[in-house]
Amino acid sequence: MMLPVGTSDQSTSPEPLAVVYHGGTWSTSTSPIAGLDENLTAVSCVKNTKYCMAVGHFWFGGPGPSTVAQAFDGHTWTVLPGAEISGYATGDYLSGVSCADVTFCVAAGTIGNRNDFGDLIETDSSGTWSSAKISDGGTIGLPEGLNAVSCATTGSCVAAGPGGYVFPYAQGHWSSPTDADGASTITALSCPTASTCLAVDTSGGVLTDSSDSWSAPLSIDPGHALSAVSCPSRGFCLAADTSGNIVVGS
């Protein structure tokens, strides 16, 4: 099953949109509306199940948006409580999500307040969300916000964002970032195993990680920005760019 998500512009206020692909057929799926101007930006579905998690942001009534998460069981969408971040924020966003199984999902994005921005990680363990700022752009010099996250297992994840930084997660702990792609912004990640990850960037480059050692970027789509990647196995990946091109690697 595949499940793209996004935003419908059919009304005066943007509303969440989901489309389900199952058994060779595409169909629109009705997603509940958590608030005004809701935008779903990322989705992850657990292999061999009908469970999916979609994340994004909506207008919370303050000066900026707040985060939102919705779960799909193959038939019905449910807005999950606890994913939204409270407080007076200039804008909280979720840009990526990855579910290792039906009880463990990690979402990545940006958390902000009136003075500072930081890299946001939200973790859903068996229906309970917790939030953490894993770096602070104002104090350690890192660009704010995370674009992507990928979890091969419940104990192994990688998050990435502007500046080419990657943050590894193992045994319940996020480690200090590595500047894997300093020349570009990493836009998407896919980790088919706990020891193998692949990242794509805004310069049409691809980087591979083998046991925490990242390769130099390899240009596979010159002149274009890659925006998404999926690797169902170590030997096969598919990437998409912002111009509608698909690049296949094997």
Side-chain angles (χ1 to χ4, degrees), residues 41-42 55 92-97 106-111 117-122 132-136 142-150 158-168 174-175 177-178 185-189:
T41 54
V55 300
D92 300 327
Y93 303 85
L94 290 175
S95 304
V97 64
V106 175
T110 304
I111 185 171
F117 283 87
D119 298 321
L120 168 67
I121 286 291
E122 292 205 315
K133 184 189 286 188
I134 62 172
S135 74
D136 187 331
L142 294 181
E144 70 275 359
L146 295 168
N147 294 329
V149 62
S150 183
V158 176
Y165 288 95
V166 293
F167 296 78
W174 289 96
S175 299
T178 298
T185 292
I186 292 177
T187 53
L189 287 163

CSV table of all heavy atoms in Angstrom, one decimal, residues 41-42 55 92-97 106-111 117-122 132-136 142-150 158-168 174-175 177-178 185-189:
chain,number,residue,atom,x,y,z
A,41,THR,N,2.8,17.1,5.3
A,41,THR,CA,4.0,17.2,4.5
A,41,THR,C,4.8,15.9,4.3
A,41,THR,O,5.7,15.9,3.5
A,41,THR,CB,4.9,18.3,5.2
A,41,THR,OG1,5.1,17.9,6.6
A,41,THR,CG2,4.3,19.7,5.2
A,42,ALA,N,4.4,14.9,5.1
A,42,ALA,CA,5.2,13.7,5.0
A,42,ALA,C,4.3,12.5,5.5
A,42,ALA,O,3.4,12.7,6.3
A,42,ALA,CB,6.5,13.7,5.9
A,55,VAL,N,2.3,13.5,9.0
A,55,VAL,CA,2.6,14.6,9.9
A,55,VAL,C,2.6,15.9,9.1
A,55,VAL,O,2.7,15.9,7.8
A,55,VAL,CB,3.9,14.4,10.6
A,55,VAL,CG1,3.9,13.2,11.4
A,55,VAL,CG2,5.1,14.4,9.6
A,92,ASP,N,5.9,26.1,14.5
A,92,ASP,CA,6.4,24.7,14.7
A,92,ASP,C,6.0,23.9,13.5
A,92,ASP,O,4.8,23.9,13.1
A,92,ASP,CB,5.9,24.1,16.0
A,92,ASP,CG,6.3,24.9,17.2
A,92,ASP,OD1,7.4,25.4,17.2
A,92,ASP,OD2,5.5,24.9,18.2
A,93,TYR,N,6.9,23.2,12.9
A,93,TYR,CA,6.6,22.4,11.6
A,93,TYR,C,7.2,21.0,11.8
A,93,TYR,O,8.2,20.8,12.4
A,93,TYR,CB,7.3,23.1,10.4
A,93,TYR,CG,6.9,24.5,10.2
A,93,TYR,CD1,7.6,25.6,10.8
A,93,TYR,CD2,5.9,24.9,9.3
A,93,TYR,CE1,7.2,26.9,10.6
A,93,TYR,CE2,5.5,26.2,9.1
A,93,TYR,CZ,6.2,27.2,9.7
A,93,TYR,OH,5.9,28.5,9.5
A,94,LEU,N,6.5,20.1,11.1
A,94,LEU,CA,7.0,18.7,10.9
A,94,LEU,C,7.2,18.5,9.4
A,94,LEU,O,6.3,18.7,8.7
A,94,LEU,CB,6.1,17.7,11.5
A,94,LEU,CG,6.1,17.6,13.1
A,94,LEU,CD1,5.1,16.6,13.6
A,94,LEU,CD2,7.5,17.3,13.7
A,95,SER,N,8.4,18.1,9.0
A,95,SER,CA,8.7,17.9,7.6
A,95,SER,C,9.0,16.5,7.2
A,95,SER,O,9.0,16.2,6.0
A,95,SER,CB,9.9,18.8,7.3
A,95,SER,OG,9.8,20.1,7.6
A,96,GLY,N,9.2,15.6,8.1
A,96,GLY,CA,9.5,14.2,7.8
A,96,GLY,C,9.0,13.3,8.9
A,96,GLY,O,8.9,13.7,10.1
A,97,VAL,N,8.7,12.0,8.5
A,97,VAL,CA,8.3,11.0,9.5
A,97,VAL,C,8.8,9.7,9.0
A,97,VAL,O,8.9,9.4,7.8
A,97,VAL,CB,6.8,11.1,9.7
A,97,VAL,CG1,6.0,10.7,8.5
A,97,VAL,CG2,6.4,10.2,10.9
A,106,VAL,N,9.0,8.3,14.4
A,106,VAL,CA,9.8,9.5,14.7
A,106,VAL,C,9.5,10.6,13.6
A,106,VAL,O,9.5,10.3,12.4
A,106,VAL,CB,11.3,9.2,14.7
A,106,VAL,CG1,12.1,10.5,14.9
A,106,VAL,CG2,11.6,8.2,15.8
A,107,ALA,N,9.2,11.8,14.0
A,107,ALA,CA,8.9,12.9,13.1
A,107,ALA,C,10.0,14.0,13.4
A,107,ALA,O,10.5,14.2,14.5
A,107,ALA,CB,7.5,13.5,13.4
A,108,ALA,N,10.4,14.6,12.3
A,108,ALA,CA,11.4,15.6,12.3
A,108,ALA,C,10.9,17.0,11.8
A,108,ALA,O,10.1,17.0,10.8
A,108,ALA,CB,12.7,15.2,11.5
A,109,GLY,N,11.4,18.1,12.3
A,109,GLY,CA,11.0,19.4,11.9
A,109,GLY,C,11.7,20.5,12.5
A,109,GLY,O,12.8,20.4,12.8
A,110,THR,N,10.9,21.6,12.8
A,110,THR,CA,11.4,22.8,13.3
A,110,THR,C,10.6,23.3,14.5
A,110,THR,O,9.4,23.2,14.4
A,110,THR,CB,11.4,23.9,12.3
A,110,THR,OG1,12.2,23.5,11.1
A,110,THR,CG2,12.1,25.2,12.8
A,111,ILE,N,11.2,23.6,15.6
A,111,ILE,CA,10.5,24.2,16.7
A,111,ILE,C,11.0,25.6,16.9
A,111,ILE,O,12.2,25.9,16.8
A,111,ILE,CB,10.7,23.4,18.0
A,111,ILE,CG1,9.9,23.9,19.2
A,111,ILE,CG2,12.2,23.3,18.4
A,111,ILE,CD1,9.9,23.0,20.4
A,117,PHE,N,15.3,29.3,17.2
A,117,PHE,CA,14.8,28.1,16.6
A,117,PHE,C,15.7,26.9,16.8
A,117,PHE,O,16.8,27.1,17.2
A,117,PHE,CB,14.7,28.4,15.0
A,117,PHE,CG,13.6,29.2,14.6
A,117,PHE,CD1,13.7,30.6,14.6
A,117,PHE,CD2,12.4,28.7,14.2
A,117,PHE,CE1,12.7,31.4,14.2
A,117,PHE,CE2,11.3,29.5,13.8
A,117,PHE,CZ,11.5,30.9,13.8
A,118,GLY,N,15.1,25.7,16.7
A,118,GLY,CA,15.9,24.6,16.9
A,118,GLY,C,15.4,23.4,16.1
A,118,GLY,O,14.4,23.5,15.4
A,119,ASP,N,16.2,22.3,16.1
A,119,ASP,CA,15.8,21.1,15.4
A,119,ASP,C,14.9,20.2,16.2
A,119,ASP,O,15.3,19.8,17.3
A,119,ASP,CB,17.1,20.3,15.0
A,119,ASP,CG,18.0,21.1,14.1
A,119,ASP,OD1,17.5,21.8,13.2
A,119,ASP,OD2,19.2,21.1,14.3
A,120,LEU,N,13.7,20.0,15.7
A,120,LEU,CA,12.7,19.3,16.5
A,120,LEU,C,12.6,17.8,16.2
A,120,LEU,O,12.6,17.4,15.0
A,120,LEU,CB,11.3,19.9,16.3
A,120,LEU,CG,10.1,19.1,16.8
A,120,LEU,CD1,10.1,19.1,18.3
A,120,LEU,CD2,8.8,19.8,16.2
A,121,ILE,N,12.6,16.9,17.2
A,121,ILE,CA,12.3,15.5,17.0
A,121,ILE,C,11.1,15.2,17.9
A,121,ILE,O,11.0,15.6,19.1
A,121,ILE,CB,13.5,14.7,17.5
A,121,ILE,CG1,14.6,14.7,16.4
A,121,ILE,CG2,13.1,13.2,17.7
A,121,ILE,CD1,14.3,14.0,15.1
A,122,GLU,N,10.1,14.5,17.3
A,122,GLU,CA,9.0,14.0,18.1
A,122,GLU,C,8.9,12.5,17.9
A,122,GLU,O,9.1,12.0,16.8
A,122,GLU,CB,7.6,14.6,17.6
A,122,GLU,CG,7.5,16.1,17.9
A,122,GLU,CD,6.1,16.5,18.0
A,122,GLU,OE1,5.3,16.2,17.1
A,122,GLU,OE2,5.8,17.3,18.9
A,132,ALA,N,11.5,16.8,21.6
A,132,ALA,CA,12.8,17.2,22.1
A,132,ALA,C,13.5,18.1,21.0
A,132,ALA,O,13.3,17.8,19.8
A,132,ALA,CB,13.7,15.9,22.3
A,133,LYS,N,14.2,19.1,21.5
A,133,LYS,CA,15.0,19.9,20.6
A,133,LYS,C,16.4,19.3,20.7
A,133,LYS,O,17.1,19.4,21.7
A,133,LYS,CB,15.0,21.4,21.1
A,133,LYS,CG,15.8,22.3,20.1
A,133,LYS,CD,16.0,23.7,20.7
A,133,LYS,CE,14.7,24.4,20.7
A,133,LYS,NZ,14.9,25.9,21.1
A,134,ILE,N,16.9,18.7,19.5
A,134,ILE,CA,18.1,18.0,19.6
A,134,ILE,C,19.3,18.9,19.2
A,134,ILE,O,20.5,18.5,19.4
A,134,ILE,CB,18.1,16.7,18.7
A,134,ILE,CG1,17.9,17.1,17.2
A,134,ILE,CG2,17.1,15.8,19.2
A,134,ILE,CD1,18.0,15.9,16.3
A,135,SER,N,19.1,20.1,18.7
A,135,SER,CA,20.2,21.1,18.6
A,135,SER,C,19.6,22.5,18.5
A,135,SER,O,18.4,22.6,18.3
A,135,SER,CB,21.0,20.8,17.3
A,135,SER,OG,20.3,21.2,16.1
A,136,ASP,N,20.4,23.4,18.8
A,136,ASP,CA,19.9,24.8,18.9
A,136,ASP,C,20.8,25.7,18.0
A,136,ASP,O,22.0,25.9,18.3
A,136,ASP,CB,20.1,25.2,20.4
A,136,ASP,CG,19.5,26.6,20.7
A,136,ASP,OD1,19.5,27.4,19.8
A,136,ASP,OD2,19.0,26.8,21.8
A,142,LEU,N,24.4,25.7,14.2
A,142,LEU,CA,23.8,24.8,13.2
A,142,LEU,C,22.5,25.5,12.6
A,142,LEU,O,21.8,26.2,13.3
A,142,LEU,CB,23.3,23.5,13.8
A,142,LEU,CG,24.5,22.6,14.3
A,142,LEU,CD1,23.9,21.3,14.8
A,142,LEU,CD2,25.4,22.3,13.1
A,143,PRO,N,22.3,25.4,11.3
A,143,PRO,CA,21.0,25.9,10.8
A,143,PRO,C,19.8,25.2,11.5
A,143,PRO,O,19.9,24.1,11.9
A,143,PRO,CB,21.1,25.5,9.3
A,143,PRO,CG,22.6,25.2,9.0
A,143,PRO,CD,23.1,24.7,10.3
A,144,GLU,N,18.8,26.0,11.6
A,144,GLU,CA,17.6,25.5,12.3
A,144,GLU,C,16.8,24.6,11.4
A,144,GLU,O,16.7,24.7,10.2
A,144,GLU,CB,16.7,26.6,12.8
A,144,GLU,CG,16.0,27.4,11.7
A,144,GLU,CD,16.9,28.5,11.1
A,144,GLU,OE1,18.0,28.7,11.5
A,144,GLU,OE2,16.4,29.2,10.2
A,145,GLY,N,16.1,23.6,12.1
A,145,GLY,CA,15.1,22.8,11.4
A,145,GLY,C,15.7,21.5,10.8
A,145,GLY,O,16.9,21.4,10.4
A,146,LEU,N,14.9,20.5,10.8
A,146,LEU,CA,15.2,19.2,10.2
A,146,LEU,C,14.2,18.9,9.0
A,146,LEU,O,13.1,19.2,9.1
A,146,LEU,CB,15.1,18.1,11.2
A,146,LEU,CG,16.1,18.1,12.3
A,146,LEU,CD1,15.7,17.1,13.4
A,146,LEU,CD2,17.5,17.8,11.8
A,147,ASN,N,14.8,18.4,7.9
A,147,ASN,CA,14.0,18.1,6.7
A,147,ASN,C,13.5,16.7,6.7
A,147,ASN,O,12.4,16.4,6.1
A,147,ASN,CB,14.7,18.4,5.5
A,147,ASN,CG,15.1,19.9,5.3
A,147,ASN,OD1,14.3,20.7,5.7
A,147,ASN,ND2,16.2,20.1,4.7
A,148,ALA,N,14.2,15.7,7.2
A,148,ALA,CA,13.9,14.3,7.0
A,148,ALA,C,14.4,13.5,8.1
A,148,ALA,O,15.3,13.8,8.9
A,148,ALA,CB,14.6,13.9,5.7
A,149,VAL,N,13.8,12.3,8.2
A,149,VAL,CA,14.2,11.3,9.2
A,149,VAL,C,13.9,9.9,8.6
A,149,VAL,O,12.9,9.7,7.8
A,149,VAL,CB,13.5,11.5,10.5
A,149,VAL,CG1,12.0,11.3,10.4
A,149,VAL,CG2,14.0,10.5,11.6
A,150,SER,N,14.7,8.9,8.9
A,150,SER,CA,14.5,7.5,8.5
A,150,SER,C,14.9,6.6,9.6
A,150,SER,O,16.0,6.7,10.2
A,150,SER,CB,15.3,7.2,7.2
A,150,SER,OG,15.0,5.9,6.8
A,158,VAL,N,18.1,8.1,11.6
A,158,VAL,CA,19.0,9.2,11.2
A,158,VAL,C,18.1,10.3,10.8
A,158,VAL,O,17.1,10.1,10.1
A,158,VAL,CB,19.9,8.8,10.0
A,158,VAL,CG1,20.7,10.0,9.5
A,158,VAL,CG2,20.8,7.7,10.3
A,159,ALA,N,18.4,11.5,11.2
A,159,ALA,CA,17.7,12.7,10.9
A,159,ALA,C,18.7,13.7,10.2
A,159,ALA,O,19.9,13.6,10.4
A,159,ALA,CB,17.1,13.4,12.1
A,160,ALA,N,18.1,14.5,9.3
A,160,ALA,CA,19.0,15.4,8.5
A,160,ALA,C,18.3,16.7,8.2
A,160,ALA,O,17.0,16.8,8.2
A,160,ALA,CB,19.5,14.7,7.3
A,161,GLY,N,19.1,17.7,7.8
A,161,GLY,CA,18.5,19.0,7.4
A,161,GLY,C,19.4,19.9,6.7
A,161,GLY,O,20.4,19.5,6.1
A,162,PRO,N,19.1,21.3,6.9
A,162,PRO,CA,20.0,22.3,6.2
A,162,PRO,C,21.4,22.2,6.6
A,162,PRO,O,21.8,21.7,7.7
A,162,PRO,CB,19.3,23.6,6.7
A,162,PRO,CG,17.9,23.2,7.0
A,162,PRO,CD,18.0,21.8,7.6
A,163,GLY,N,22.3,22.6,5.8
A,163,GLY,CA,23.7,22.6,6.0
A,163,GLY,C,24.4,21.2,5.8
A,163,GLY,O,25.6,21.1,6.0
A,164,GLY,N,23.6,20.2,5.5
A,164,GLY,CA,24.1,18.9,5.2
A,164,GLY,C,24.4,18.1,6.5
A,164,GLY,O,25.1,17.1,6.4
A,165,TYR,N,23.8,18.5,7.6
A,165,TYR,CA,24.1,17.8,8.9
A,165,TYR,C,23.2,16.6,9.0
A,165,TYR,O,22.0,16.6,8.6
A,165,TYR,CB,23.8,18.8,10.0
A,165,TYR,CG,24.8,19.9,10.2
A,165,TYR,CD1,24.7,21.1,9.6
A,165,TYR,CD2,26.0,19.6,10.9
A,165,TYR,CE1,25.6,22.1,9.8
A,165,TYR,CE2,27.0,20.6,11.0
A,165,TYR,CZ,26.8,21.8,10.5
A,165,TYR,OH,27.8,22.8,10.6
A,166,VAL,N,23.7,15.6,9.6
A,166,VAL,CA,23.0,14.3,9.9
A,166,VAL,C,23.1,14.0,11.4
A,166,VAL,O,24.2,14.2,12.0
A,166,VAL,CB,23.4,13.1,9.1
A,166,VAL,CG1,23.1,13.4,7.6
A,166,VAL,CG2,24.9,12.9,9.2
A,167,PHE,N,22.0,13.6,12.0
A,167,PHE,CA,22.0,13.2,13.4
A,167,PHE,C,21.7,11.8,13.6
A,167,PHE,O,20.5,11.3,13.2
A,167,PHE,CB,20.9,14.0,14.1
A,167,PHE,CG,21.1,15.5,14.2
A,167,PHE,CD1,20.8,16.3,13.0
A,167,PHE,CD2,21.6,16.2,15.3
A,167,PHE,CE1,21.0,17.7,13.0
A,167,PHE,CE2,21.8,17.6,15.3
A,167,PHE,CZ,21.5,18.3,14.2
A,168,PRO,N,22.6,10.9,14.1
A,168,PRO,CA,22.2,9.5,14.3
A,168,PRO,C,21.6,9.3,15.6
A,168,PRO,O,21.8,10.0,16.6
A,168,PRO,CB,23.6,8.8,14.2
A,168,PRO,CG,24.6,9.9,14.7
A,168,PRO,CD,24.0,11.2,14.3
A,174,TRP,N,20.1,10.5,20.8
A,174,TRP,CA,20.5,11.3,19.6
A,174,TRP,C,22.0,11.8,19.8
A,174,TRP,O,22.2,12.4,20.8
A,174,TRP,CB,19.6,12.4,19.3
A,174,TRP,CG,18.3,12.0,18.8
A,174,TRP,CD1,17.1,11.8,19.6
A,174,TRP,CD2,17.9,11.6,17.5
A,174,TRP,NE1,16.1,11.4,18.8
A,174,TRP,CE2,16.5,11.3,17.5
A,174,TRP,CE3,18.6,11.6,16.3
A,174,TRP,CZ2,15.9,10.9,16.3
A,174,TRP,CZ3,17.9,11.2,15.1
A,174,TRP,CH2,16.6,10.9,15.2
A,175,SER,N,22.8,11.4,18.8
A,175,SER,CA,24.2,11.9,18.9
A,175,SER,C,24.5,13.2,18.3
A,175,SER,O,23.6,13.7,17.6
A,175,SER,CB,25.1,10.8,18.3
A,175,SER,OG,25.0,9.6,18.9
A,177,PRO,N,25.7,16.0,15.7
A,177,PRO,CA,25.6,15.9,14.2
A,177,PRO,C,27.0,15.8,13.5
A,177,PRO,O,28.0,16.2,14.1
A,177,PRO,CB,24.9,17.3,13.9
A,177,PRO,CG,25.3,18.2,15.0
A,177,PRO,CD,25.4,17.4,16.2
A,178,THR,N,26.9,15.3,12.3
A,178,THR,CA,28.0,15.2,11.4
A,178,THR,C,27.7,16.0,10.2
A,178,THR,O,26.6,15.9,9.6
A,178,THR,CB,28.3,13.7,11.0
A,178,THR,OG1,28.6,13.0,12.2
A,178,THR,CG2,29.4,13.6,10.0
A,185,THR,N,21.9,21.2,1.0
A,185,THR,CA,20.9,20.8,2.0
A,185,THR,C,20.4,19.4,1.7
A,185,THR,O,20.0,19.1,0.6
A,185,THR,CB,19.7,21.8,2.0
A,185,THR,OG1,20.2,23.1,2.5
A,185,THR,CG2,18.6,21.3,3.0
A,186,ILE,N,20.5,18.5,2.7
A,186,ILE,CA,19.9,17.2,2.6
A,186,ILE,C,18.4,17.3,2.7
A,186,ILE,O,17.9,17.9,3.7
A,186,ILE,CB,20.5,16.3,3.7
A,186,ILE,CG1,21.9,16.0,3.4
A,186,ILE,CG2,19.7,14.9,3.7
A,186,ILE,CD1,22.6,15.1,4.4
A,187,THR,N,17.7,16.8,1.7
A,187,THR,CA,16.2,16.9,1.7
A,187,THR,C,15.5,15.7,2.0
A,187,THR,O,14.3,15.7,2.5
A,187,THR,CB,15.8,17.4,0.3
A,187,THR,OG1,16.3,16.4,-0.7
A,187,THR,CG2,16.3,18.8,0.0
A,188,ALA,N,16.1,14.5,1.9
A,188,ALA,CA,15.4,13.2,2.1
A,188,ALA,C,16.4,12.2,2.5
A,188,ALA,O,17.6,12.2,2.1
A,188,ALA,CB,14.6,12.8,0.9
A,189,LEU,N,15.9,11.2,3.3
A,189,LEU,CA,16.7,10.0,3.7
A,189,LEU,C,16.0,8.7,3.5
A,189,LEU,O,14.7,8.7,3.6
A,189,LEU,CB,17.0,10.2,5.2
A,189,LEU,CG,18.0,11.2,5.7
A,189,LEU,CD1,17.8,11.4,7.2
A,189,LEU,CD2,19.5,10.8,5.4
